[in-house]
Coordinates of all heavy atoms in Angstrom, one line a residue:
G1 N 0.8 -1.2 0.0 CA 0.0 0.0 0.0 C 0.9 1.3 0.0 O 1.9 1.3 -0.7
T2 N 0.5 2.2 0.8 CA 1.3 3.5 0.9 C 2.5 3.3 1.8 O 3.3 4.3 1.9 CB 0.3 4.6 1.4 OG1 -0.2 4.2 2.7 CG2 -0.8 4.8 0.4
E3 N 2.6 2.3 2.6 CA 3.7 2.1 3.5 C 4.5 0.8 3.1 O 4.0 0.0 2.4 CB 3.2 2.0 4.9 CG 2.7 3.3 5.5 CD 2.4 3.1 7.0 OE1 1.9 2.1 7.4 OE2 2.7 4.1 7.7
A4 N 5.7 0.7 3.7 CA 6.5 -0.5 3.5 C 6.3 -1.4 4.7 O 6.1 -0.8 5.8 CB 7.9 -0.1 3.3
R5 N 6.4 -2.6 4.5 CA 6.4 -3.6 5.7 C 7.8 -4.0 6.0 O 8.5 -4.5 5.1 CB 5.5 -4.8 5.3 CG 5.3 -5.8 6.5 CD 4.2 -6.7 6.2 NE 4.5 -7.5 5.0 CZ 5.1 -8.7 5.0 NH1 5.6 -9.2 6.2 NH2 5.3 -9.4 3.9
I6 N 8.2 -3.8 7.2 CA 9.5 -4.2 7.6 C 9.5 -5.7 7.9 O 8.8 -6.2 8.7 CB 10.0 -3.5 8.9 CG1 10.0 -2.0 8.6 CG2 11.3 -3.9 9.4 CD1 10.2 -1.1 9.9
R7 N 10.4 -6.5 7.1 CA 10.4 -7.9 7.2 C 11.6 -8.4 8.0 O 11.6 -9.5 8.6 CB 10.4 -8.6 5.8 CG 9.2 -8.2 5.0 CD 8.9 -9.2 3.9 NE 10.0 -9.1 2.9 CZ 9.9 -9.7 1.7 NH1 8.8 -10.3 1.3 NH2 10.9 -9.6 0.8
M8 N 12.7 -7.6 8.1 CA 13.9 -8.0 8.9 C 14.6 -6.7 9.3 O 14.8 -5.8 8.5 CB 14.8 -8.8 8.0 CG 16.0 -9.4 8.8 SD 17.1 -10.3 7.8 CE 16.0 -11.7 7.3
A9 N 14.9 -6.6 10.6 CA 15.5 -5.4 11.2 C 16.2 -5.8 12.5 O 16.0 -6.9 13.0 CB 14.5 -4.3 11.4
A10 N 17.0 -4.8 13.0 CA 17.7 -5.0 14.2 C 17.7 -3.7 15.0 O 17.7 -2.6 14.4 CB 19.1 -5.5 14.0
P11 N 17.6 -3.7 16.3 CA 17.7 -2.5 17.1 C 19.0 -1.8 16.8 O 20.0 -2.4 16.5 CB 17.7 -3.0 18.6 CG 17.1 -4.4 18.5 CD 17.6 -4.9 17.2
L12 N 18.9 -0.4 16.9 CA 20.1 0.4 16.6 C 20.3 1.4 17.7 O 19.3 2.1 18.1 CB 19.9 1.1 15.2 CG 21.0 2.0 14.7 CD1 22.2 1.2 14.4 CD2 20.5 2.8 13.5
S13 N 21.5 1.6 18.1 CA 21.9 2.6 19.1 C 22.1 3.9 18.5 O 22.8 4.0 17.4 CB 23.1 2.1 19.9 OG 23.7 3.2 20.6
R14 N 21.6 5.0 19.1 CA 21.8 6.3 18.5 C 23.3 6.7 18.6 O 23.8 7.4 17.7 CB 21.0 7.4 19.3 CG 20.8 8.7 18.5 CD 19.9 9.6 19.1 NE 20.5 10.5 20.1 CZ 19.9 11.3 20.9 NH1 18.6 11.4 20.8 NH2 20.6 12.0 21.8
A15 N 24.0 6.2 19.6 CA 25.4 6.5 19.7 C 26.2 5.9 18.5 O 27.1 6.5 18.0 CB 25.9 5.9 21.0
V16 N 25.8 4.7 18.1 CA 26.4 4.1 16.9 C 26.1 5.0 15.7 O 27.0 5.2 14.9 CB 26.0 2.7 16.7 CG1 26.5 2.1 15.4 CG2 26.4 1.8 17.9
L17 N 24.9 5.4 15.6 CA 24.5 6.2 14.5 C 25.3 7.5 14.4 O 25.7 7.9 13.3 CB 23.0 6.5 14.5 CG 22.3 6.9 13.2 CD1 22.4 5.8 12.2 CD2 20.8 7.1 13.5
E18 N 25.4 8.1 15.6 CA 26.2 9.4 15.6 C 27.6 9.2 15.3 O 28.3 10.1 14.7 CB 26.0 10.0 17.0 CG 24.7 10.6 17.3 CD 24.6 11.3 18.6 OE1 24.7 10.6 19.6 OE2 24.3 12.5 18.7
E19 N 28.2 8.1 15.7 CA 29.6 7.8 15.4 C 29.8 7.5 13.9 O 30.8 8.0 13.3 CB 30.0 6.5 16.2 CG 31.5 6.2 16.0 CD 31.9 4.9 16.8 OE1 31.1 4.5 17.7 OE2 32.9 4.4 16.5
R20 N 28.8 6.8 13.3 CA 29.0 6.5 11.8 C 28.6 7.6 10.9 O 29.3 7.8 9.9 CB 28.2 5.3 11.5 CG 28.6 4.0 12.2 CD 29.9 3.5 11.7 NE 29.9 3.2 10.3 CZ 29.5 2.0 9.8 NH1 29.1 1.1 10.6 NH2 29.5 1.9 8.5
F21 N 27.6 8.4 11.3 CA 27.1 9.5 10.3 C 26.9 10.8 11.1 O 25.8 11.4 11.1 CB 25.7 9.0 9.7 CG 25.8 7.7 9.1 CD1 25.2 6.6 9.7 CD2 26.3 7.6 7.8 CE1 25.2 5.4 9.0 CE2 26.3 6.3 7.1 CZ 25.8 5.2 7.8
P22 N 28.0 11.3 11.6 CA 27.8 12.6 12.4 C 27.4 13.8 11.5 O 26.7 14.7 12.0 CB 29.3 12.8 13.0 CG 30.2 12.1 12.0 CD 29.4 10.9 11.6
E23 N 27.7 13.7 10.2 CA 27.4 14.9 9.4 C 25.9 15.0 9.1 O 25.4 16.0 8.6 CB 28.2 14.8 8.1 CG 27.7 13.7 7.1 CD 28.2 12.3 7.5 OE1 28.9 12.2 8.5 OE2 27.7 11.3 6.8
R24 N 25.2 13.9 9.4 CA 23.7 13.9 9.0 C 22.9 14.3 10.2 O 21.6 14.4 10.1 CB 23.3 12.5 8.5 CG 24.0 12.1 7.2 CD 23.3 10.9 6.6 NE 21.9 11.2 6.3 CZ 21.0 10.3 5.8 NH1 21.4 9.1 5.5 NH2 19.8 10.7 5.5
F25 N 23.5 14.6 11.4 CA 22.8 15.0 12.5 C 22.7 16.5 12.5 O 23.7 17.2 12.3 CB 23.4 14.6 13.8 CG 23.1 13.1 14.2 CD1 23.8 12.1 13.6 CD2 22.1 12.8 15.1 CE1 23.5 10.8 13.9 CE2 21.8 11.5 15.4 CZ 22.5 10.5 14.8
V26 N 21.5 17.1 12.7 CA 21.3 18.5 12.8 C 20.5 18.9 14.0 O 19.4 18.3 14.3 CB 20.5 19.0 11.5 CG1 20.2 20.5 11.5 CG2 21.3 18.6 10.2
R27 N 21.0 19.9 14.7 CA 20.2 20.4 15.9 C 19.7 21.8 15.4 O 20.4 22.6 14.9 CB 21.1 20.6 17.1 CG 21.6 19.3 17.7 CD 22.4 19.5 19.0 NE 22.9 18.2 19.4 CZ 22.2 17.3 20.2 NH1 21.0 17.7 20.6 NH2 22.7 16.2 20.6
E28 N 18.4 22.0 15.7 CA 17.7 23.2 15.2 C 16.7 23.7 16.2 O 16.1 22.9 17.0 CB 17.1 23.0 13.8 CG 16.0 21.9 13.9 CD 15.4 21.6 12.5 OE1 16.0 22.1 11.5 OE2 14.4 21.0 12.4
E29 N 16.5 25.0 16.2 CA 15.4 25.6 17.0 C 14.5 26.3 16.1 O 15.0 27.0 15.1 CB 16.0 26.5 18.1 CG 16.8 25.8 19.2 CD 17.2 26.8 20.3 OE1 16.8 28.0 20.2 OE2 17.8 26.3 21.3
G30 N 13.2 26.2 16.3 CA 12.3 26.9 15.5 C 10.9 26.7 16.0 O 10.7 26.4 17.2
A31 N 9.9 26.9 15.1 CA 8.5 26.8 15.5 C 7.9 25.9 14.4 O 8.2 25.9 13.2 CB 7.8 28.1 15.5
S32 N 6.9 25.0 14.9 CA 6.2 24.2 14.0 C 4.8 24.0 14.5 O 4.5 24.2 15.6 CB 6.9 22.8 13.9 OG 6.9 22.2 15.2
F33 N 3.9 23.7 13.5 CA 2.5 23.6 13.8 C 2.2 22.2 14.4 O 2.6 21.2 13.9 CB 1.7 23.8 12.5 CG 0.2 23.7 12.8 CD1 -0.5 24.8 13.4 CD2 -0.5 22.6 12.3 CE1 -1.8 24.7 13.6 CE2 -1.9 22.6 12.5 CZ -2.5 23.6 13.2
D34 N 1.5 22.2 15.5 CA 1.0 21.0 16.1 C -0.5 20.8 15.8 O -1.3 21.6 16.3 CB 1.3 21.0 17.6 CG 1.0 19.7 18.3 OD1 -0.2 19.2 18.2 OD2 1.9 19.2 19.0

């Protein structure tokens, strides 16, 4: 349908993600509609 079904995955630590892809992390401040 409009979504994908995850058939195989593993838990991921954010620390590992930050270590492997630091350039893709962005900290921002702003306003958004809720």
Side-chain angles (χ1 to χ4, degrees):
T2 57
E3 291 189 318
R5 184 166 60 90
I6 300 173
R7 298 199 298 194
M8 186 180 295
L12 180 64
S13 163
R14 198 172 87 186
V16 171
L17 199 60
E18 286 183 299
E19 181 181 345
R20 294 291 301 275
F21 305 103
E23 73 284 354
R24 296 194 61 184
F25 280 81
V26 177
R27 294 186 182 274
E28 59 185 15
E29 289 187 2
S32 60
F33 181 73
D34 186 304

